[in-house]
Amino acid sequence: MIVVNIDEVMPDAKQHVSLKTLFSERDLEGANARFGVVTIPPKTRIPLSGTGAHEEDEYSIVVKGAMIAGVGDMEYRLSAGDASLIPAGEAHWAYNDGEENCEIVWVLVRR
């Protein structure tokens, strides 16, 4: 078993959000997933412009706050308790339009 305290994990190098990878392939030989949390402050968009995509499927659940997420021409309103799945390669973005932090737990899984 590997245990980490979320408050002791340093955020990845992203100045506008707090993105923490808690576990990844480096922690377990043969693993094909990364697991972490992201905190999106109010009135913050990720990425700052355009869209982002990755080689893994992204599973996430909003645990606090709310946001708008976009994929292609579609926009979705997500709030605490909502989960999403973004297939590998699908361009997407998120914007916290609220007044409180939006906290998300995510898992990226390589097929």
Side-chain angles (χ1 to χ4, degrees), residues 12 14 20 23 39 41 49 55-56 62 66 68 71 91 94 99-100:
D12 296 343
K14 300 224 184 245
K20 296 181 180 184
F23 299 106
T39 300
S49 63
E55 297 175 354
E56 307 92 347
V62 178
I68 299 170
V71 174
E99 299 298 322
E100 68 175 325

Side-chain angles (χ1 to χ4, degrees), residues 49-63:
S49 63
T51 60
H54 29 77
E55 297 175 354
E56 307 92 347
D57 294 323
E58 179 182 329
Y59 300 84
S60 63
I61 186 166
V62 178
V63 294

